[in-house]
Amino acid sequence: MAALADKLEAIELSVVVPVFNEEDSVGPLVTRIHDAMAGFSKPWELILVDDGSTDRTLPNARAELFRPDLRLKIIELQKNFGQTAAMQAGIDAASGRLIATLDGDLQNDPNDIPRMVVAIEERQLDLLVGWRKNRRDGLLLRKIPSWCANRLIGKITGVKLHDYGCSLKVYRASIIKQVKLMGEMHRFIPAWVAGVVPSSRIGEMPVTHHARHFGASKYGISRTFRVILDLLAVLFFMRYKARPGHFFGSIGLATGGLSALILFYLAIDKFILGNDIGTRPMLMVGVMLFLSSIQLITTGILSEMMVRAYFRDDETTSYIVRQVVEQEQADA
C-alpha cells in the first residue's frame, strides 16, 4: 500500500540526462544519482534519453531498470538528433514540478542537485544554473573559449552568468516547458528562459565539476564558431521572434533612404546641371540599393506571414522517439 501511495503521489523532481555513447559512464551515473538523491524526501524520477548511441549505452542503461528503489524511464531516440533535441525529449517526458538536467559523462556531480533544489525555492527563482567555478577541463581548448563565449553571451543577451555551458541546471517545469529548444540551443537556455520570465528570476550557484574519466569529449575548438552563429540567431529571436518584419523592414527602409538620396542627387545633377550620369558608378549603386530595399521589405512581410503560421501551428518536435521503457514494463 505504501508503495502504491508513493506512485500515486505527485512527482516533485525529474532528473533528465541525455546520453550518447557513454557505455562506461551510464551505470556509475545512475548509481551516483541514486545515492545523491537518497535523502530526498519527496518522490522523484530519473529520465535517461539515449540519443542514438552506437555502443552499449542503451543495454547498460536498461540493466538499471531492475533497481527496486528507483523510478527510471529510458527514452530511446530513433537516431542521433543532438544534445538539444535529446534534452527537449526528456523535458517533454518529465512529470516533476521541478526538472534538473545534467550531462551523462560524470563530470557534473549529482550531489549538487538536492542543494540546488533547496536554493531555487529559497531564492524564488525559475531557473538555477550551475557554475563550474573550478572547472576540470583543458585551458586552451575548453576554458578560454568558454570564458570568451560566456562574456559575449552575457553582454548580448543581458543575462549575466559566469557559466552558460554548464548542463547542471534546475528549472520550474511550468517555465521550461514554455521554451522550445531547437538546433544546438541548449547552450543558450538562460537566454531563452529570459524571454519568458524576468532575468531577475534566473540565478546561478557554484557546483562541483569532475574531470572526465571515460570516453572523449564530443566537442572541440570548432564549437566556438558554431556558438557565434547560434548567438546571432539567439539575438535575432530574443528581439524579433514575434516581429521579424521590423528587423528586415528597418534595414530595408535604411537602404531605401540611402538609395533615394543618391538618386535624388543624380537627378539634380542630370536635369538641372545637365551632366551625363549614364556611366557613373553612383547610379549603379543607387539602383542596387533600391532593389535591395524592395527585397528586404518583401522578406520582412513574408517573415511576418510565416511567424503567424508558426504561432498557429507549433506542434512539431526536433526528435523522434523509437520507444519508451519504464520500470513497470521491465518488471513484467
Side-chain angles (χ1 to χ4, degrees):
M1 291 296 291
L4 179 61
D6 180 66
K7 286 183 178 292
L8 294 176
E9 190 177 350
I11 295 175
E12 175 71 7
L13 175 69
S14 298
V15 180
V16 175
V17 187
V19 290
F20 174 64
N21 289 349
E22 300 286 0
E23 59 181 1
D24 296 319
S25 301
V26 68
L29 171 71
V30 173
T31 299
R32 290 189 187 184
I33 294 175
H34 176 266
D35 294 344
M37 300 299 295
F40 196 70
S41 59
K42 297 181 180 180
W44 65 281
E45 65 177 355
L46 173 60
I47 300 174
L48 296 179
V49 184
D50 178 65
D51 187 24
S53 297
T54 56
D55 59 4
R56 291 194 54 79
T57 297
L58 187 58
N60 291 352
R62 286 178 173 171
E64 303 297 327
L65 283 166
F66 299 96
R67 289 176 179 258
D69 52 350
L70 176 65
R71 183 187 275 110
L72 175 61
K73 181 186 296 183
I74 299 175
I75 300 175
E76 178 189 352
L77 300 189
Q78 191 161 292
K79 69 180 189 67
N80 178 239
F81 289 94
Q83 185 176 356
T84 302
M87 191 174 292
Q88 181 70 70
I91 290 171
D92 290 343
S95 304
R97 186 180 67 86
L98 299 173
I99 298 175
T101 59
L102 68 158
D103 280 334
D105 55 11
L106 299 178
Q107 290 194 269
N108 296 138
D109 194 333
N111 289 298
D112 289 315
I113 295 176
R115 297 191 300 109
M116 295 181 72
V117 169
V118 172
I120 196 173
E121 297 289 13
E122 289 181 346
R123 296 164 61 181
Q124 297 183 352
L125 300 174
D126 291 319
L127 167 60
L128 184 60
V129 182
W131 173 17
R132 296 167 294 183
K133 200 169 183 178
N134 297 309
R135 186 171 178 178
R136 306 297 183 183
D137 280 321
L139 178 64
L140 184 61
L141 295 181
R142 302 300 296 275
K143 287 185 178 181
I144 292 178
S146 179
W147 182 85
C148 295
N150 289 325
R151 292 291 297 272
L152 183 61
I153 295 168
K155 188 173 184 62
I156 290 180
T157 64
V159 183
K160 305 295 185 181
L161 297 173
H162 290 90
D163 192 355
Y164 264 82
C166 182
S167 294
L168 182 54
K169 299 179 177 72
V170 176
Y171 320 78
R172 294 193 189 275
S174 59
I175 300 300
I176 190 58
K177 290 195 176 188
Q178 297 178 42
V179 179
K180 188 171 184 178
L181 305 178
M182 303 290 290
E184 295 187 13
M185 296 301 185
H186 62 276
R187 307 184 191 97
F188 305 102
I189 287 178
W192 295 121
V193 172
V196 179
V197 300
S199 57
S200 59
R201 295 190 64 88
I202 300 173
E204 64 179 350
M205 67 176 290
V207 296
T208 305
H209 190 245
H210 300 288
R212 175 180 273 274
H213 295 289
F214 304 104
S217 173
K218 312 298 189 299
Y219 302 106
I221 193 67
S222 62
R223 182 178 66 163
T224 303
F225 304 104
R226 298 200 299 270
V227 168
I228 294 173
L229 294 175
D230 289 342
L231 183 56
L232 294 175
V234 168
L235 180 62
F236 176 83
F237 276 99
M238 285 185 68
R239 297 186 180 179
Y240 300 104
K241 177 182 178 181
R243 49 187 182 93
H246 290 197
F247 174 79
F248 293 106
S250 59
I251 300 176
L253 290 175
T255 305
L258 182 58
S259 170
L261 288 175
I262 292 174
L263 295 178
F264 180 71
Y265 167 76
L266 291 175
I268 294 176
D269 201 23
K270 169 70 176 176
F271 297 110
I272 296 179
L273 301 180
N275 296 321
D276 183 18
I277 63 171
T279 59
R280 294 179 63 174
M282 186 177 287
L283 177 62
M284 180 71 71
V285 172
V287 172
M288 292 300 297
L289 287 174
F290 174 75
L291 294 176
S292 298
S293 172
I294 296 297
Q295 187 175 28
L296 285 165
I297 292 173
T298 304
T299 301
I301 295 171
L302 292 174
S303 61
E304 289 282 348
M305 295 172 63
M306 293 174 65
V307 162
R308 279 152 179 73
Y310 170 81
F311 281 115
R312 280 199 305 269
D313 184 16
D314 189 22
E315 300 299 325
T316 57
T317 61
S318 57
Y319 59 89
I320 302 173
V321 175
R322 182 184 300 276
Q323 64 176 334
V324 177
V325 182
E326 298 187 59
Q327 209 107 21
E328 292 81 359
Q329 294 170 279
D331 294 340

